[in-house]
C-alpha cells in the first residue's frame, strides 16, 4: 500500500466499528491489538477512536437499537462529498444519509451501492482518517464481497473514479483492485457463490499481526470466535474472526 498521504480518491481512508456493547468491544480490541481507546464524549454520542502508536487507526460507536447489526464499516476518501452523492444516485446506488458536517473534523455520507453493499465516504478536514497502514496493529487491506460483480465494477469505477485493474476474470474467480500491484488500495471480489442467494454485499477489513496464529488464539481468549484454522494465502497467513458481539474481520500477516 502507498503512504497514507498519497492515497487516491476512492481509497479506504477510515473505518469504524458499530457495537452493542462498547465496553466489551474496547476490552476485546485493546486486548487483541494493544490499541488505546479515546472517547470523544457525550457531544459525539460517545463515538471513540482506537489509537495505535499514537495515531488513530479506527473508530468505534455504540449502536442505538438492539435490532441494528454490529459490524465494521469502511469509508472511502473523497474531496467532494456532495459531488459523490450526486453520482451515486445516477449510477444506481442509494444515498442513505446525505452529506453532513462533523464540526472541526470533516464531512461524510452513507450510501448503498447497486448490489446492496453499504459504504461510507469521508471528506477530511480536521480529522485525516488513517495515519498508519499495512503494519501490525493497523488496517492492512479492504475488499468488497459483492453479490453482483458486473454491477459493482462500473459503479466503483464511474461513481468514485476507481483505477480498476482486473486480476482474474473467469467463472472460478473474479477479482479487481483499485490501483495496480503494490499500489493497489482495495479489492472487489465476485462473492456470489460464497454469499449465496440471500447473501448481502459487504466490505471485509483485514487487520495486521506479526503472528496470526497467536493473535487468533488471543482473540478466542478474549471472547471472540475464530472460524476454521488460520490459512496460508499468497498475501500472508490469514484468520477469519468475529468479535464477542459478532462483528467480522480478518487478521493478516503484516
Amino acid at each position: 500500500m502507498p503512504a497514507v498521504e498519497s492515497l487516491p480518491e476512492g481509497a479506504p481512508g477510515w473505518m469504524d466499528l458499530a457495537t452493542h456493547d462498547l465496553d466489551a468491544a474496547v476490552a476485546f480490541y485493546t486486548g487483541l491489538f494493544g490499541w488505546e481507546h479515546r472517547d470523544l464524549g457525550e457531544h459525539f454520542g460517545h463515538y471513540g477512536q482506537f489509537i495505535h502508536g499514537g495515531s488513530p487507526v479506527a473508530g468505534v460507536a455504540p449502536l442505538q437499537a438492539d435490532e441494528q447489526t454490529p459490524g465494521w464499516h469502511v469509508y472511502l476518501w473523497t474531496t467532494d462529498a456532495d459531488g459523490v452523492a450526486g453520482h451515486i444516485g445516477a449510477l444506481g446506488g442509494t444515498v442513505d444519509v446525505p452529506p453532513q458536517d462533523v464540526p472541526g473534523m470533516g464531512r461524510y455520507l452513507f450510501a448503498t451501492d447497486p448490489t446492496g453493499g453499504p459504504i461510507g465516504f469521508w471528506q477530511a478536514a480536521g480529522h485525516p482518517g488513517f495515519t498508519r497502514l499495512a503494519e501490525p496493529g493497523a488496517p492492512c487491506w479492504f475488499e468488497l464481497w459483492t453479490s453482483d460483480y458486473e454491477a459493482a465494477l462500473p459503479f466503483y469505477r464511474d461513481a468514485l473514479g476507481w483505477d480498476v485493474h482486473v486480476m482474474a476474470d473467469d467463472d472460478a474467480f473474479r477479482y479487481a483492485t483499485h490501483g495496480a500491484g503494490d499500489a493497489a488500495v482495495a479489492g472487489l471480489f465476485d462473492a456470489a457463490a460464497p454469499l449465496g442467494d440471500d447473501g448481502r454485499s459487504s466490505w471485509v477489513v483485514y487487520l495486521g499481526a506479526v503472528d496470526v496464529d497467536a493473535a487468533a488464539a488471543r482473540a478466542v481468549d478474549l471472547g471472540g470466535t475464530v472460524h476454521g484454522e488460520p490459512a496460508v494465502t499468497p498475501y500472508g497467513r490469514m484468520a477469519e474472526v468475529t468479535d464477542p458481539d459478532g462483528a467480522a474481520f480478518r487478521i493478516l500477516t503484516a
Side-chain angles (χ1 to χ4, degrees):
M1 260 185 195
V4 173
E5 294 80 4
S6 64
L7 288 175
E9 188 90 2
W14 186 242
M15 67 181 189
D16 59 23
L17 172 71
T19 182
H20 290 111
D21 190 334
L22 183 60
D23 290 340
V26 168
F28 177 80
Y29 288 97
T30 57
L32 182 57
F33 294 109
W35 291 346
E36 300 174 32
H37 174 249
R38 294 179 187 170
D39 189 330
L40 298 183
E42 188 174 354
H43 179 71
F44 289 100
H46 293 288
Y47 187 95
Q49 293 183 350
F50 286 121
I51 307 298
H52 168 61
S55 301
V57 291
V60 58
L63 288 168
Q64 302 303 311
D66 290 343
E67 62 270 19
Q68 291 178 294
T69 303
W72 282 98
H73 302 137
V74 173
Y75 297 75
L76 305 183
W77 283 119
T78 179
T79 55
D80 182 5
D82 296 87
V84 166
H87 292 316
I88 286 171
L91 292 168
T94 304
V95 176
D96 302 310
V97 177
Q100 299 184 20
D101 289 322
V102 180
M105 293 191 178
R107 191 165 174 80
Y108 76 95
L109 70 140
F110 288 112
T112 303
D113 72 25
T115 77
I119 187 64
F121 298 88
W122 182 248
Q123 182 179 340
H127 187 287
F130 301 129
T131 52
R132 307 180 82 97
L133 283 172
E135 65 182 53
C140 285
W141 187 243
F142 313 84
E143 64 191 12
L144 176 69
W145 283 43
T146 180
S147 59
D148 189 343
Y149 181 85
E150 298 300 332
L153 198 66
F155 174 81
Y156 284 89
R157 181 191 64 214
D158 299 337
L160 311 176
W162 272 31
D163 177 22
V164 172
H165 289 260
V166 176
M167 291 178 59
D169 188 12
D170 59 48
D171 291 342
F173 183 61
R174 288 187 175 86
Y175 200 97
T177 59
H178 180 11
D182 291 342
V185 293
L188 185 65
F189 171 49
D190 181 356
L195 289 174
D197 292 340
D198 298 325
R200 182 187 180 194
S201 300
S202 63
W203 282 83
V204 177
V205 301
Y206 292 73
L207 303 174
V210 173
D211 184 332
V212 167
D213 294 79
R218 178 64 174 157
V220 172
D221 291 342
L222 291 166
T225 302
V226 176
H227 302 274
E229 295 293 327
V232 175
T233 78
Y235 304 99
R237 198 158 176 80
M238 185 271 294
E240 183 180 349
V241 181
T242 51
D243 71 19
D245 196 30
F249 64 97
R250 297 188 177 198
I251 302 172
L252 183 69
T253 303

